[in-house]
Amino acid sequence: MRLTFSRLADRRPVETTVERDDGVVFAMRGAGGGADLPHDLVHALVETELGMDDGIWGCVADGVVWHSMRHVSGRQPPHAGERSARLKRERAAAIQRAEGVADLVARTARGAQVLPGEAAALDLPPDRVAAAAAALADAGRRWRALPVGETWTVEWRQQVAPRRRRR
């Protein structure tokens, strides 16, 4: 799956193009903008760094469509809406964990307060949080240096084999 984040001027939502491996393309607007690292890019970078296949982008790769996503092109599989809703229910705990992990790593990268035990509560070794935070801080510097109108592309590759479908 390819994620392309467009760097727009300050105070404008981030524009992201999501090209799934099945050929379906979505556009979305997300939080962040200007010099701020987009929230969805934070997820892509953190989930990749930590090998989280069950996070936000792993869900999208498997067929979840969030309310912020607008279908642009490609034929969606039969029953795509039902599959998306089912996956959201089944993976609710993993999705919530991914939000917590992204928040923890982003705060660590900014040098903001992190409570003792937060990483342990999310089942993350502190050294992995530190490495992900360092990578995210570097990404923030690179994003701020990216000229308005340019893009940042992330190739999302799941770390584990996809689950087999039931027949």
Side-chain angles (χ1 to χ4, degrees):
M1 180 168 69
R2 175 176 289 142
L3 311 170
T4 304
F5 299 87
S6 298
R7 169 82 152 80
L8 302 177
D10 288 347
R11 299 179 190 200
R12 299 231 4 240
V14 173
E15 304 258 350
T16 305
T17 302
V18 179
E19 300 170 78
R20 286 192 329 211
D21 291 344
D22 64 1
V24 180
V25 178
F26 294 94
M28 58 191 291
R29 286 187 169 210
D36 295 336
L37 200 58
H39 179 74
D40 294 326
L41 179 55
V42 168
H43 271 282
L45 298 171
V46 169
E47 291 172 18
T48 297
E49 183 74 25
L50 296 175
M52 296 176 61
D53 288 334
D54 59 353
I56 302 303
W57 291 112
C59 287
V60 171
D62 287 343
V64 166
V65 177
W66 306 108
H67 73 279
S68 60
M69 296 170 68
R70 181 177 46 83
H71 180 254
V72 174
S73 65
R75 183 175 174 175
Q76 295 193 63
H79 312 291
E82 293 89 346
R83 176 176 170 75
S84 175
R86 179 178 52 79
L87 288 171
K88 286 177 187 177
R89 283 190 308 275
E90 290 173 357
R91 298 181 183 180
I95 293 166
Q96 185 174 3
R97 180 177 182 270
E99 288 292 352
V101 169
D103 176 63
L104 173 68
V105 172
R107 283 185 290 129
T108 302
R110 289 191 311 268
Q113 181 180 11
V114 175
L115 300 175
E118 277 190 82
L122 292 167
D123 195 28
L124 290 171
D127 61 325
R128 295 203 56 215
V129 171
L136 196 59
D138 180 58
R141 288 187 288 275
R142 290 174 44 214
W143 179 261
R144 285 187 293 279
L146 190 68
V148 170
E150 295 293 318
T151 61
W152 181 326
T153 299
V154 174
E155 295 289 336
W156 176 265
R157 298 281 183 248
Q158 289 189 296
Q159 307 296 313
V160 296
R163 295 177 185 94
R164 291 184 159 218
R165 284 196 220 176
R166 292 182 214 164
R167 293 193 186 226

